Amino acid sequence: MDKKDPTIASLGEFGLIQSHFAPLCSNKKGITVGIGDDGAVLAVQPNQELVVSTDTLVEHIHFSSNDNPYQLAKKSLRVNLSDLAAMGANPNWYLLNIATPPSTQIEWINEFARGLKEDGERYSIVLTGGDTTSSKSGLVITITVMGTVDKGRAILRSGAKPGDKIFLSGTLGDSTLGLTYRLGYLKISNHLDAEFLQNRHLIPEPRVSLGLAILTEKIAHSAIDISDGLIADLKHVCSESNVGAEVDVDKIPLSGAATRLLETGGKEILTQILTGGEDYELLFTADAAMVDKIASIADKVGVGVTEIGVVSSGSEVKVLQNGSQLKLDSGGWTHF
Ligand code: ADP
Ligand code: MG
């Protein structure tokens, strides 16, 4: 983008809303009143409940100035969709609050809106409003998503029971490895691996279909999406459910790229895989009798689901390798 390209200041606040955001509001999904009034009016079926979640991405903290706006739009929406997925909710509507420096180029917003449009269609979620302001200190993007579940059926963090098996979708650790590579802290000689891991960080895949399927099929007692790291998020489930857990490191699903890094990087890489965040995979717990049903659902939605451990009574979260417990110290995860 050329520095002399026109900026959003030339559009004005309402011009920008009209040209770039209003077109993302279609007439689908029970929208009685969309963008343009003081509030949106949205129809919810009488037997359903609304699931609402919000996440903010801040320039210099969550992304950098020269990040690709098309990808950034997708990530902003997807991290929110991942929360809906973890509740088993069906995505419906979202709000976009954006604070942008007036010097932001129109081409940047074009690409940002293109990313939102593409993913809005892909995940069947419609923009129904928001807020647009200027910012003197970088870009701030807040998206609020709304989805629906049948009354009383949302999957919570608090339902895990001792004896439940713990399941994880996809592969773990790719995003954090991609990020540290991107920041220059990790060397990756294989270009394809580097690209794969970076993409896992830049454009996560929210497990919306999997979340819907485990709710519909009454599979899970509890669920969470991995945004803060496996161990931290598993601890959230355990404390909300008043249970403990044992995770078997050797069962954790890894991509080929992460496996290759683990072979050469050892303990530090393992620590990163266990504690790094932003994978946006689903972790859920379910009765052991559900194993076959889960395998067939995973097959149907085309996402790998791996059993990685078991819920225990008590409150401790144990990480096991070859049957012995690992402990986190300043040098990473080590054997006792
Ligand atoms: P108000 O001043 O009443 O809060 P605004 O002038 O901020 O309303 O917004 C006018 C309309 O444009 C509202 O429907 C609002 O939801 C919508 N809107 C504003 N900013 C955005 C945005 N970034 N994305 C989508 N809709 C937006
Ligand atoms: Mg108003």
Side-chain angles (χ1 to χ4, degrees):
M1 287 177 225
D2 194 311
K3 277 265 178 307
K4 296 190 295 290
D5 284 347
T7 67
I8 56 166
S10 65
L11 295 175
E13 179 187 337
F14 297 107
L16 176 61
I17 296 167
Q18 237 15 68
S19 60
H20 286 75
F21 300 137
L24 299 180
C25 183
S26 59
N27 272 339
K28 291 187 227 146
K29 297 261 176 183
I31 299 171
T32 312
V33 177
I35 290 174
D37 213 310
D38 291 312
V41 181
L42 308 169
V44 183
Q45 300 300 315
N47 58 341
Q48 296 205 314
E49 288 176 313
L50 207 53
V51 176
V52 183
S53 182
T54 191
D55 255 310
T56 297
L57 297 185
V58 179
E59 188 174 341
H60 309 303
I61 297 198
H62 300 98
F63 63 93
S64 62
S65 318
N66 48 14
D67 277 357
N68 176 324
Y70 166 79
Q71 289 179 345
L72 184 61
K74 289 183 169 234
K75 182 158 183 176
S76 311
L77 191 52
R78 288 176 181 212
V79 300
N80 278 285
L81 284 162
S82 177
D83 285 320
L84 291 184
M87 307 291 292
N90 211 337
N92 270 353
W93 311 295
Y94 71 102
L95 303 172
L96 168 69
N97 291 23
I98 185 166
T100 62
S103 59
T104 304
Q105 286 163 350
I106 291 176
E107 183 53 25
W108 194 99
I109 292 283
N110 289 347
E111 284 300 288
F112 186 79
R114 185 168 73 88
L116 287 181
K117 180 171 194 301
E118 230 178 71
D119 272 3
E121 284 162 8
R122 177 172 180 169
Y123 297 102
S124 190
I125 189 164
V126 180
L127 182 65
T128 60
D131 197 26
T132 305
T133 70
S134 68
S135 162
K136 285 187 176 169
S137 55
L139 195 66
V140 182
I141 302 158
T142 300
I143 285 185
T144 304
V145 284
M146 288 165 272
T148 47
V149 288
D150 286 345
K151 258 188 188 149
R153 295 285 310 280
I155 309 169
L156 310 183
R157 295 178 177 186
S158 55
K161 296 180 176 48
D164 276 4
K165 301 285 185 192
I166 303 170
F167 297 88
L168 184 68
S169 70
T171 56
L172 192 73
D174 298 328
S175 176
T176 179
L177 294 171
L179 175 63
T180 40
Y181 168 77
R182 217 174 134 66
L183 297 176
Y185 302 129
L186 175 67
K187 296 254 173 308
I188 303 178
S189 49
N190 180 326
H191 292 300
L192 288 177
D193 283 354
E195 196 179 311
F196 167 81
L197 294 169
Q198 275 204 92
N199 280 337
R200 290 273 287 157
H201 176 73
L202 292 171
I203 320 188
E205 183 64 75
R207 302 303 186 185
V208 174
S209 309
L210 180 64
L212 284 171
I214 63 175
L215 182 139
T216 307
E217 302 288 329
K218 303 191 170 144
I219 297 287
H221 289 154
S222 70
I224 191 168
D225 67 321
I226 306 291
S227 52
D228 297 337
L230 174 69
I231 302 301
D233 287 318
L234 180 57
K235 282 182 175 169
H236 288 141
V237 169
C238 288
S239 63
E240 289 299 316
S241 301
N242 291 313
V243 294
E246 287 180 7
V247 169
D248 189 342
V249 165
D250 304 308
K251 288 186 180 168
I252 290 176
L254 299 179
S255 63
T259 305
R260 283 183 279 280
L261 286 173
L262 186 61
E263 275 162 11
T264 52
K267 211 165 66 178
E268 270 174 41
I269 298 289
L270 178 63
T271 301
Q272 221 186 315
I273 289 170
L274 291 173
T275 55
E278 294 205 89
D279 280 311
Y280 300 105
E281 294 297 348
L282 288 191
L283 180 150
F284 60 94
T285 75
D287 197 286
M290 290 291 179
V291 168
D292 289 344
K293 214 167 176 186
I294 291 168
S296 93
I297 282 175
D299 223 38
K300 204 152 77 189
V301 299
V303 181
V305 175
T306 310
E307 186 192 317
I308 61 164
V310 64
V311 175
S312 56
S313 52
S315 59
E316 200 183 350
V317 173
K318 290 185 186 167
V319 180
L320 304 173
Q321 192 173 42
N322 295 324
S324 72
Q325 195 176 347
L326 297 182
K327 225 186 167 187
L328 187 61
D329 62 23
S330 55
W333 287 86
T334 47
H335 288 274
F336 267 143

